[in-house]
């Protein structure tokens, strides 16, 4: 009997000691830390700057207090803190400054989301001395430099009353990507032309403005119009000025700047189009994963890597190269930058509390568009997919709540 009681007492003590050890682990409180992903709110404006269809490095990019410089790929990245519309400027010596580009961080943007703004910059034109007695042929490259010139201004003798320096600079406005869903008819810019004169005076007679066609003379837009800028400081403030005619001999679109007009004026050469824009989509998952700190009562960190898709691409099945090059030039003027989808590597560090699980998802935001043009008497339709940025969604969840994991 004594042996039996002793054995029972020892067994009870052993079981109790196991219980104390077990309860000691279970009762340890997990280390709870503030997740900087949620505490540090920031958004990203990313994009690419091109000139003459090539990446442009060394461009100073500014949005409020945020600044960046484009790299060898023409890419830049700005970090901003607020949900609002930002005015972004792009500057480099020898190029026309873009000072009125805009991009919006929407009210429903999630923390660490990314929006894109692609820009085309143009070299400043070369000034040409013009006098009342002489004919002058001016391009963005200077007097008479018509080979490979994009724009030509022909000024006959007597068109100006006094000697003046005239500069011709083709450029594109950096407008926000059209994401308004639906179908519309509109004249979209192929190029804009800034004409500046050191002496501002009305023309005594018509002068001729011509813009080079972006393909061979067998492929040309049937419906081209000229717009004039009514407010030099306002982006998008244009009204129709005249129609332009295609001249097969010079492979260019020609319009008259009429007597009485000023040489200090911006003009836009536009092609009529039909455009259909989809709803903005975010069903393309770029990265979706989780990181478990379950069972570890100590907090930890985790680097969340992902790749953002930016830019745009054209789908034009069955379209021959001549028509395609023409369409690409027009769409590039509308969508910003040059054709091509590129990627940006992003990484940031999350702090994860003890016994928590991190779930995250990065989704590409994009719109799909259809453009229809009339080219040499035929209707041509192409599709465009334009990546607008990235939506980043994440959640930290206690492992006690774990049920497979969802991302809100």
């Amino acid at each position: 009997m004594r042996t039996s009681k002793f054995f029972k007492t020892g067994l009870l003590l052993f079981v109790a000691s196991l219980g104390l050890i077990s309860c000691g682990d279970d009762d340890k409180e997990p280390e709870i830390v503030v997740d900087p992903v949620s505490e540090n709110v920031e958004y990203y404006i990313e994009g690419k700057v091109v000139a003459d269809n090539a990446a442009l490095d060394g461009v100073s990019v500014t949005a409020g207090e945020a600044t960046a410089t484009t790299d060898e790929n023409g890419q830049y990245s700005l970090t901003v803190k607020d949900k609002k519309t930002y005015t972004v400027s792009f500057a480099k010596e020898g190029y026309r400054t873009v000072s009125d580009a805009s991009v919006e961080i929407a009210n429903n943007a999630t923390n660490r989301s990314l929006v894109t703004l692609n820009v085309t910059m143009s070299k400043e034109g070369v000034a040409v001395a013009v006098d009342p007695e002489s004919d002058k042929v001016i391009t963005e490259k200077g007097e008479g430099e018509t080979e490979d010139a994009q724009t030509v201004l022909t000024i006959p003798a007597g068109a100006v009353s006094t000697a003046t320096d005239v500069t011709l600079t083709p450029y594109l406005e950096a407008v926000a990507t059209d994401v308004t869903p639906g179908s519309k008819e509109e004249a979209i810019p192929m190029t804009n032309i800034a004409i500046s004169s050191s002496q501002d005076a009305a023309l005594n007679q018509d002068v001729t403005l011509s813009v080079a066609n972006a393909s061979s003379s067998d492929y040309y837009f049937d419906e081209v119009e000229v717009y004039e800028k009514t407010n030099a400081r306002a982006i998008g403030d244009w009204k129709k000025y005249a129609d332009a005619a295609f001249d097969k001999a010079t492979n260019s679109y020609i319009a008259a700047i009429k007597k009485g007009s000023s040489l200090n004026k911006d003009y836009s050469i536009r092609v009529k189009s039909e455009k259909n824009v989809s709803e903005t989509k975010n069903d393309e998952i770029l990265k979706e994963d989780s990181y478990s700190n379950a069972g570890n009562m100590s907090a930890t960190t985790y680097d969340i890597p992902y790749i953002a898709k930016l830019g745009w691409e054209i789908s034009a099945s069955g379209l021959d190269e001549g028509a395609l090059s023409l369409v690409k030039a027009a769409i590039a003027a509308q969508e910003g930058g040059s054709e091509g989808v590129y990627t940006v590597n992003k990484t940031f560090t999350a702090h994860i509390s003890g016994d928590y699980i991190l779930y995250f998802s990065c989704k590409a935001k994009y719109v799909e568009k259809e453009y229809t043009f009339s080219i040499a008497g035929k209707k041509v339709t192409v599709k465009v997919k334009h990546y607008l940025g990235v939506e980043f969604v994440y959640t930290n969840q206690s492992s006690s709540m774990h049920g497979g994991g969802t991302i809100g």
Side-chain angles (χ1 to χ4, degrees):
M1 293 293 293
R2 290 179 181 177
T3 303
S4 176
K5 288 181 179 179
F6 180 80
F7 176 76
K8 289 180 179 178
T9 301
L11 182 61
L12 288 172
L13 290 172
F14 176 71
V15 171
S17 67
L18 288 178
L20 288 172
I21 294 171
S22 176
C23 289
D25 286 342
D26 289 343
D27 290 343
K28 184 179 179 181
E29 292 293 326
E31 181 184 4
I32 304 299
V33 294
V34 174
D35 179 9
V37 175
S38 60
E39 287 296 306
N40 299 330
V41 176
E42 59 187 34
Y43 311 96
Y44 310 112
I45 302 171
E46 310 246 356
K48 186 174 184 178
V49 181
V50 300
D52 295 325
N53 293 316
L56 186 61
D57 64 355
V59 178
S60 298
V61 187
T62 305
E65 296 181 356
T67 61
T69 302
T70 59
D71 62 16
E72 67 275 9
N73 298 313
Q75 295 177 210
Y76 70 91
S77 177
L78 298 170
T79 300
V80 295
K81 297 292 186 180
D82 301 312
K83 295 179 180 180
K84 65 177 186 178
T85 298
Y86 289 86
T87 297
V88 188
S89 65
F90 300 81
K92 181 175 182 175
E93 186 177 356
Y95 290 82
R96 178 185 171 92
T97 297
V98 177
S99 58
D100 48 11
S102 67
V103 65
E104 181 186 16
I105 306 296
N107 287 331
N108 62 353
T110 57
N111 188 15
R112 306 301 171 101
S113 292
L114 180 156
V115 296
T116 182
L117 178 63
N118 299 311
V119 170
T120 299
M121 295 184 71
S122 303
K123 289 183 178 179
E124 291 282 3
V126 177
V128 175
V130 177
D131 61 77
E133 290 77 30
S134 306
D135 295 337
K136 290 290 180 178
V137 176
I138 303 170
T139 76
E140 68 270 18
K141 299 181 177 184
E143 182 178 355
E145 297 288 336
T146 57
E147 186 175 357
D148 296 326
Q150 186 178 356
T151 54
V152 180
L153 185 68
T154 304
I155 304 178
V160 295
S161 300
T162 186
T164 183
D165 292 334
V166 176
T167 305
L168 201 63
T169 303
Y171 71 96
L172 293 173
E173 285 184 318
V175 296
T177 303
D178 183 3
V179 295
T180 304
S183 299
K184 65 195 78 176
E185 294 183 359
E186 63 179 343
I188 63 173
M190 292 189 289
T191 189
N192 303 322
I193 306 102
I195 305 175
S196 61
S197 172
S198 59
Q199 301 293 324
D200 190 12
L203 291 169
N204 298 323
Q205 54 185 288
D206 292 355
V207 302
T208 301
L209 177 66
S210 62
V211 174
N213 188 33
S215 186
S216 72
S217 59
D218 292 329
Y219 302 92
Y220 55 89
F221 290 119
D222 292 315
E223 300 175 292
V224 178
E225 300 174 334
V226 182
Y227 282 64
E228 66 174 344
K229 198 165 191 179
T230 56
N231 185 338
R233 296 184 178 182
I235 191 168
D237 198 358
W238 301 85
K239 70 175 183 180
K240 185 177 177 181
Y241 179 77
D243 290 318
F246 179 69
D247 180 50
K248 198 173 182 71
T250 60
N251 195 25
S252 62
Y253 304 95
I254 297 177
I257 299 177
K258 300 168 187 175
K259 176 182 177 180
S261 299
S262 170
L263 276 179
N264 276 308
K265 199 81 170 182
D266 286 19
Y267 296 91
S268 181
I269 308 299
R270 304 192 171 199
V271 55
K272 285 187 176 181
S273 70
E274 298 173 17
K275 183 167 64 174
N276 190 297
V277 183
S278 74
E279 297 280 353
T280 299
K281 302 179 181 182
N282 66 346
D283 55 4
E284 185 174 334
I285 297 174
L286 300 172
K287 178 84 171 181
E288 189 171 69
D289 208 345
S290 64
Y291 180 81
S292 177
N293 197 32
N296 180 12
M297 296 299 117
S298 299
T300 189
T301 60
Y302 178 68
D303 288 336
I304 303 176
Y306 66 94
I307 296 176
K309 273 186 176 180
L310 303 176
W312 52 273
E313 56 190 0
I314 291 177
S315 173
S317 177
L319 198 62
D320 59 41
E321 191 58 38
L324 183 59
S325 62
L326 189 62
V327 167
K328 281 184 177 181
I331 291 177
Q334 180 74 359
E335 298 296 329
S338 57
E339 184 200 8
V341 174
Y342 58 99
T343 58
V344 175
N345 293 315
K346 303 292 290 184
T347 301
F348 55 87
T349 302
H351 286 204
I352 308 171
S353 296
D355 204 31
Y356 266 63
I357 302 173
L358 171 70
Y359 302 96
F360 61 90
S361 174
C362 302
K363 299 179 180 179
K365 294 179 66 177
Y366 64 93
V367 292
E368 295 174 320
K369 305 179 183 182
E370 280 190 352
Y371 285 89
T372 300
F373 304 97
S374 179
I375 297 178
K378 297 180 180 179
K379 291 288 185 180
V380 171
T381 299
V382 297
K383 295 181 179 180
V384 174
K385 186 175 184 179
H386 193 137
Y387 287 93
L388 307 172
V390 169
E391 180 181 87
F392 179 73
V393 182
Y394 72 95
T395 181
N396 276 306
Q397 191 177 95
S398 170
S399 65
S400 63
M401 299 170 59
H402 176 62
T406 59
I407 301 176

